Amino acid sequence: MKLAIYGYGNLGRGVELAAGQNEDVELTGIFTRRDPSGVKTLCGTPVYKASDVKLFRDKIDVLIICGGSATDLPGMTPGLAGDFNVVDSFDTHARIPEHFDAVDVSAKKSGKTALISAGWDPGMFSLARLYSSAILPEGRDYTFWGKGVSQGHSDAIRRIKGVEDARQYTVPVESSLEAVRSGQMPDLTTRQKHTRLCYVVAKDGADRARIEKEIKEMPNYFSDYDTTVNFITKEELARDHSGLPHGGFVIRTGKTGANRENTHTVEYSLSLDSNPEFTASALVAFARAVCRMNARGDVGCKTVFDVMPKDLSPLSDAELRRTML
Amino acid sequence: MKLAIYGYGNLGRGVELAAGQNEDVELTGIFTRRDPSGVKTLCGTPVYKASDVKLFRDKIDVLIICGGSATDLPGMTPGLAGDFNVVDSFDTHARIPEHFDAVDVSAKKSGKTALISAGWDPGMFSLARLYSSAILPEGRDYTFWGKGVSQGHSDAIRRIKGVEDARQYTVPVESSLEAVRSGQMPDLTTRQKHTRLCYVVAKDGADRARIEKEIKEMPNYFSDYDTTVNFITKEELARDHSGLPHGGFVIRTGKTGANRENTHTVEYSLSLDSNPEFTASALVAFARAVCRMNARGDVGCKTVFDVMPKDLSPLSDAELRRTML
């Protein structure tokens, strides 16, 4: 299976590494909007100009698009699906329906297969929600994120006057997790589900009290949460907070029985040292499925809900039944 | 979707209840090898003789076969797949390949769709193993069962002389669970993974020391485990141990990164008040998928690995993308 990477940031680098962990994957190249001569890759993969990608139409089975959801993917994925089988990790949940429709039109026209919103949320967490709600229709599910770094929230802090750098962790509230697992099906407010933990490097002479107040009162990002702000040095930030860990929990509890007397708890959780590397690993597995689906003539826009699980694995159907069923 | 139940034990009763929790399901009837006039159903579903099932060929979309894996299903499922779309919960892992082959021949000949080995293990746990190993190819997975009642082990104790009744719980070893979650990828012996906890009602005058010794030394069932035997009264057994709870954990840890420096932990766990009712709920969801697959002409033997997740849900593709992705 010949894969290529379109966009070479954290996620693209993760795909390059993940490709090397899968024996059936060959990496054709990396396409970037930067000057290729200035890009040093992790594994020596050749680098090409993004604008040349169409020249590689016949040399790529699936193109993995590693752009941002806010401004890159809404244009990129429908555009590239006109020439390639593609996978993206579009993660703006509210805009998935319109992204799906735009990609579907393009992929159906070109006879390609385009899978959007792969990764862990959307992605594996979505699958956990679907499977457990299909099995337990009378129930309720909850998604908690963290402990992990939210890049959006870290960026929001960095935009405050007097802040040199910052890192924000989203942290699930343990007592709420326990209440959910017990089958009580509690109503939880935003504040009851997660807390926000901030590590901030202030510029010399900056007013720390004002920075802390601005963070805690920031609408949408922090005002609905219990937020803790810790000021640390640039060195401490680099030493203790340079990774991009993340993870979370999808928990569904449901009732069965003549009098709904039996409670069942289904929990799917992730603890990830590197959010982009895990997401990239998922993109490569879903690219394998896209390649097979297109070979079967299954074209248009797809999501993780449309993928037969066996298509994610390099093993044959018989091997899967023998070793994993 | 018209379902019917073939076999009316704990699992069949669970399917009858689960059918009532799904608005798109209509229950045609229950087929039993007993005299139908002597069978009282939980929800007033009509009862018919198993030998009459073929008369209902056109009145059943999917027949859910609720027999035992040891002696019932190896004959029943291939036989019934000659006339019906079917789902079973065949759970003898080592014999799945031959069961698959026998069912596949029958279902392909009749143009029916037959899904075997649905439930939680095999079933949801199998899916957890497949998804996580496809995403994290350099890793290792572990399956732990419990805390829950093992009917096979309970039966084995009941066959010992002087035992009136017994209940056996399989219990995962917490310290091993923690070692696995940490990403150490330990080698674990049988003894290190699970302990066995037995509640035994001895007959009047029976030699309890001998019973305890016979349990602990029983090959295959107990001799490889740390086993605890508690003698209790018939009343205590009825009061405290009449349920059939079960559950367990599938945990995969894997490494990514240029130097495999990042560890990821994927965990899927179930805590079930009623093992047969949860299994039954899964069978109904997979019956929905079987119905749709057959309508699309996708015939032959299938497993959970062949099912597109969306086919398990009564919601439309667009609703699923909008509400769960």
Side-chain angles (χ1 to χ4, degrees):
Chain A
M1 168 171 67
K2 296 192 193 82
L3 301 186
I5 296 166
Y6 193 91
Y8 196 60
N10 281 334
L11 186 60
R13 279 191 288 274
V15 173
E16 188 186 13
L17 292 169
Q21 293 190 280
N22 286 276
E23 287 183 12
D24 59 339
V25 170
E26 187 186 313
L27 213 47
T28 303
I30 291 162
F31 295 85
T32 175
R33 287 175 292 187
R34 288 174 278 168
D35 176 0
S37 67
V39 176
K40 197 172 145 37
T41 62
L42 292 170
C43 314
T45 311
V47 184
Y48 306 104
K49 281 197 281 191
S51 54
D52 285 343
V53 70
K54 286 195 190 182
L55 304 174
F56 291 79
R57 257 191 81 124
D58 302 326
K59 298 195 177 87
I60 296 168
D61 293 319
V62 184
L63 186 60
I64 299 184
I65 310 177
C66 300
S69 296
T71 55
D72 296 334
L73 298 176
M76 272 182 193
T77 309
L80 291 164
D83 290 282
F84 297 94
N85 297 317
V86 298
V87 176
D88 81 15
S89 59
F90 186 78
D91 66 359
T92 311
H93 290 262
R95 298 188 60 194
I96 285 174
E98 64 186 282
H99 188 56
F100 182 93
D101 290 340
V103 174
D104 196 45
V105 167
S106 171
K108 281 198 174 131
K109 209 162 152 185
S110 63
K112 298 293 181 184
T113 306
L115 189 134
I116 62 163
S117 303
W120 61 274
D121 196 1
M124 298 313 298
F125 273 19
S126 319
L127 286 167
R129 290 186 282 263
L130 193 164
Y131 277 114
S132 60
S133 64
I135 294 174
L136 296 172
E138 292 184 35
R140 190 161 169 185
D141 59 56
Y142 298 81
T143 301
F144 292 85
W145 297 277
K147 183 184 177 179
V149 172
S150 165
Q151 307 219 53
H153 288 78
S154 301
D155 289 344
I157 299 172
R158 284 189 204 102
R159 287 191 293 266
I160 292 173
K161 199 183 146 204
V163 171
E164 185 168 326
D165 203 352
R167 191 58 56 112
Q168 193 269 182
Y169 294 90
T170 305
V171 185
V173 175
E174 191 59 43
S175 59
S176 296
L177 276 171
E178 285 308 317
V180 166
R181 285 185 185 121
S182 74
Q184 295 168 35
M185 300 189 199
D187 290 315
L188 296 172
T189 63
T190 298
R191 192 176 300 274
Q192 288 172 312
K193 287 187 73 185
H194 299 93
T195 58
R196 299 204 173 276
L197 178 59
C198 313
Y199 293 91
V200 180
V201 180
K203 288 183 180 156
D204 282 349
D207 179 350
R208 295 182 172 199
R210 176 192 51 78
I211 291 172
E212 179 165 343
K213 188 166 182 291
E214 280 193 39
I215 293 172
K216 290 185 171 177
E217 294 177 355
M218 195 185 299
N220 302 319
Y221 286 88
F222 293 98
S223 62
D224 294 334
Y225 298 86
D226 289 335
T227 300
T228 306
V229 177
N230 297 306
F231 288 94
I232 60 175
T233 65
K234 204 196 300 197
E235 292 70 30
E236 286 168 329
L237 192 82
R239 187 190 67 201
D240 302 332
H241 305 284
S242 64
L244 291 170
H246 219 315
F249 306 81
V250 175
I251 305 172
R252 185 173 181 91
T253 60
K255 305 276 188 190
T256 66
N259 302 301
R260 308 299 184 255
E261 68 276 20
N262 290 317
T263 300
H264 309 283
T265 304
V266 183
E267 179 165 344
Y268 180 82
S269 66
L270 294 172
S271 171
L272 312 174
D273 274 358
S274 165
N275 182 354
E277 287 180 9
F278 185 85
T279 300
S281 298
L283 293 179
V284 170
F286 280 97
R288 183 179 288 119
V290 163
C291 192
R292 295 180 185 173
M293 290 166 87
N294 190 260
R296 289 195 296 263
D298 194 1
V299 304
C301 191
K302 307 290 174 185
T303 75
V304 296
F305 297 157
D306 301 296
V307 175
M308 288 189 285
K310 66 176 181 180
D311 277 335
L312 299 169
S313 173
L315 300 182
S316 72
D317 292 6
E319 281 174 307
L320 288 175
R321 286 192 296 267
R322 192 170 47 77
T323 60
M324 291 197 195
L325 195 61
Chain B
M1 171 171 66
K2 295 193 194 81
L3 301 186
I5 297 167
Y6 193 91
Y8 196 61
N10 281 333
L11 186 59
R13 279 190 287 273
V15 172
E16 189 186 13
L17 292 168
Q21 292 190 280
N22 287 276
E23 286 182 13
D24 59 341
V25 170
E26 188 187 312
L27 212 48
T28 303
I30 292 163
F31 294 85
T32 175
R33 287 176 292 187
R34 288 175 278 169
D35 176 1
S37 66
V39 175
K40 196 173 147 37
T41 63
L42 292 170
C43 314
T45 311
V47 185
Y48 305 104
K49 281 196 282 189
S51 54
D52 285 343
V53 70
K54 287 196 188 181
L55 303 174
F56 291 80
R57 259 192 82 124
D58 302 327
K59 299 194 176 90
I60 296 168
D61 292 321
V62 185
L63 185 61
I64 300 185
I65 309 177
C66 301
S69 295
T71 55
D72 296 334
L73 298 176
M76 272 183 193
T77 309
L80 292 164
D83 291 282
F84 297 94
N85 297 316
V86 299
V87 176
D88 81 16
S89 60
F90 185 79
D91 66 359
T92 311
H93 290 262
R95 298 188 60 194
I96 285 174
E98 63 185 285
H99 188 56
F100 182 93
D101 290 341
V103 174
D104 196 44
V105 167
S106 171
K108 281 197 174 132
K109 208 162 152 186
S110 63
K112 298 294 181 182
T113 306
L115 189 134
I116 62 164
S117 303
W120 60 276
D121 195 2
M124 299 313 297
F125 274 18
S126 319
L127 286 166
R129 290 185 282 262
L130 193 163
Y131 276 114
S132 59
S133 64
I135 294 174
L136 296 171
E138 293 184 35
R140 189 162 169 183
D141 59 54
Y142 298 81
T143 301
F144 292 86
W145 297 276
K147 182 183 175 181
V149 172
S150 164
Q151 307 218 52
H153 287 78
S154 301
D155 289 343
I157 299 172
R158 284 190 204 101
R159 285 191 292 265
I160 292 173
K161 201 184 145 204
V163 171
E164 185 168 329
D165 203 353
R167 192 57 58 109
Q168 194 269 183
Y169 294 90
T170 305
V171 185
V173 175
E174 191 59 43
S175 59
S176 296
L177 276 172
E178 284 310 316
V180 166
R181 286 186 185 118
S182 73
Q184 296 168 33
M185 300 190 200
D187 290 316
L188 296 173
T189 62
T190 298
R191 194 177 298 276
Q192 287 172 313
K193 288 186 73 185
H194 299 94
T195 57
R196 299 203 174 276
L197 178 59
C198 313
Y199 293 91
V200 180
V201 180
K203 288 183 180 157
D204 282 348
D207 179 350
R208 295 182 172 200
R210 176 192 50 81
I211 291 171
E212 179 164 345
K213 188 165 181 291
E214 279 192 40
I215 294 172
K216 290 186 172 177
E217 295 178 355
M218 195 185 299
N220 301 318
Y221 286 88
F222 293 99
S223 62
D224 293 336
Y225 298 85
D226 290 335
T227 300
T228 306
V229 177
N230 297 307
F231 288 94
I232 61 175
T233 65
K234 204 194 303 196
E235 293 69 31
E236 287 169 329
L237 192 81
R239 187 191 65 203
D240 302 333
H241 305 285
S242 64
L244 291 170
H246 220 313
F249 307 80
V250 174
I251 306 172
R252 186 174 180 90
T253 60
K255 305 276 187 190
T256 66
N259 302 301
R260 308 297 184 257
E261 67 276 21
N262 290 318
T263 299
H264 309 283
T265 303
V266 182
E267 179 166 343
Y268 180 81
S269 67
L270 295 172
S271 170
L272 313 174
D273 275 357
S274 165
N275 181 355
E277 287 179 10
F278 185 84
T279 301
S281 298
L283 292 179
V284 170
F286 280 98
R288 183 180 288 117
V290 163
C291 191
R292 294 180 186 172
M293 291 166 86
N294 189 259
R296 287 195 298 262
D298 194 0
V299 305
C301 191
K302 307 290 174 185
T303 75
V304 297
F305 296 158
D306 300 296
V307 175
M308 288 190 284
K310 66 176 179 179
D311 276 335
L312 299 170
S313 173
L315 300 181
S316 72
D317 292 8
E319 281 174 306
L320 288 175
R321 288 192 294 268
R322 191 169 48 76
T323 61
M324 291 198 196
L325 196 60

